[in-house]
Amino acid sequence: MDFITGEIVGILLFFIGLYGLMTKKMIVKTIMSMSIMESGIFLFYITINYTDGSVPPIGQAQEAAFVDPVPSALMITAIVIGTGVTAIGLTLFMHYKQKHGITHWSRNRNQTGSEH
């Protein structure tokens, strides 16, 4: 099945996360949807330039097609940044829930009765 490739799965993951981002009203579910979208982007960019029979460019002295290391290096950096963004988002959610007592986007302070 040559149709199911890393690019196709990455695009599907991105759109599944986008659907969750647009339809979910809970804050935690939107943070999870953003993480799913990030995973789709990571998979897409890592597999975008893959060719069969290519070898890593580290320590190889043979004449073969080398894999481009730039997308992988960029995605390692993006994974670290994405993990930090997710951690900050969850931390902000915990403080928001503790202060306001709500977990949905659609509710605001005036509906819960707190005055600030």
Side-chain angles (χ1 to χ4, degrees):
M1 296 182 75
D2 292 331
F3 182 71
I4 300 176
T5 61
E7 292 96 353
I8 300 296
V9 174
I11 291 170
L12 286 174
L13 277 174
F14 178 82
F15 282 111
I16 288 169
L18 184 64
Y19 173 76
L21 192 66
M22 292 175 17
T23 60
K24 300 302 177 190
K25 301 293 183 206
M26 290 187 68
I27 298 171
V28 173
K29 288 184 181 180
T30 57
I31 294 171
M32 289 173 30
S33 297
M34 286 177 47
S35 294
I36 292 171
M37 287 174 64
E38 288 175 357
S39 298
I41 292 169
F42 300 154
L43 181 63
F44 180 78
Y45 276 107
I46 288 173
T47 60
I48 197 167
N49 208 9
Y50 174 76
T51 56
D52 289 332
S54 57
V55 295
I58 299 172
Q60 303 292 332
Q62 50 185 297
E63 292 184 27
F66 291 117
V67 177
D68 186 16
V70 175
S72 297
L74 290 175
M75 289 305 107
I76 288 172
T77 305
I79 288 169
V80 171
I81 292 170
T83 303
V85 168
T86 302
I88 290 172
L90 289 172
T91 303
L92 289 174
F93 165 72
M94 287 175 22
H95 287 287
Y96 186 77
K97 183 181 182 319
Q98 201 171 38
K99 183 175 182 178
H100 299 289
I102 56 175
T103 61
H104 291 76
W105 290 112
S106 59
R107 299 182 190 158
N108 60 19
R109 288 184 287 183
N110 296 332
Q111 292 175 342
T112 59
S114 63
E115 297 290 329
H116 288 109

